[in-house]
Amino acid sequence: MGKFYNYAQRMNEIAHATFAEYREKSDAVKAAESRYNAYPRRNGADSSYMAKSARAEADLAEAKAQFEHCRRNLFENKRREIAAIRAELETAVRDTYAADPSKVDMQTLELLRS
């Protein structure tokens, strides 16, 4: 592996964690929707059914709110983390491959002049 592999690995870990969290919130909405569809509102149903229906509706609303918050904020927050890692990488590459004036000898300088 190269010198800079750890930066790519850190970015990959962030990406995997981000998409895993997004999928988790998305799956939670799907599960809440299926529970909501299993207990649709009915007039004249017994209190147990009405309680399950109300709970399913509340769970769906909560799951949708969490998913929307995740959708709006998660990727932007992770973008900032990745930008910080990228800045570290740029600094490391610049420090590694930048020209060092003390290492330029007269022969190299004459070659550059020609």
Side-chain angles (χ1 to χ4, degrees):
M1 304 290 162
K3 297 181 189 184
F4 308 113
Y5 177 73
N6 64 334
Y7 296 102
Q9 192 171 14
R10 286 170 45 199
M11 287 185 189
N12 190 41
E13 289 170 2
I14 289 172
H16 280 289
T18 302
F19 285 113
E21 186 174 346
Y22 183 84
R23 271 186 253 116
E24 176 184 321
K25 300 292 184 191
S26 176
D27 292 345
V29 169
K30 289 176 185 173
E33 283 177 344
S34 71
R35 282 191 305 275
Y36 177 74
N37 291 335
Y39 294 104
R41 281 191 174 205
R42 292 185 190 157
N43 292 333
D46 64 345
S47 61
S48 173
Y49 183 87
M50 300 246 331
K52 288 178 185 177
S53 177
R55 181 74 257 163
E57 188 174 350
D59 288 345
L60 178 60
E62 183 179 336
K64 282 183 177 181
Q66 288 178 355
F67 178 72
E68 186 63 24
H69 180 267
C70 172
R71 189 184 65 78
R72 290 179 183 218
N73 299 320
L74 180 68
F75 292 110
E76 188 60 37
N77 293 340
K78 298 304 178 178
R79 240 183 241 126
R80 286 189 210 115
E81 289 181 35
I82 288 175
I85 293 171
R86 182 178 177 163
E88 290 176 31
L89 175 62
E90 287 175 4
T91 303
V93 168
R94 190 177 314 114
D95 292 345
T96 301
Y97 294 112
D100 186 5
S102 65
K103 294 183 180 178
V104 176
D105 59 352
M106 286 309 290
Q107 293 173 347
T108 306
L109 191 58
E110 286 301 319
L111 182 63
L112 289 172
R113 286 184 188 163
S114 64

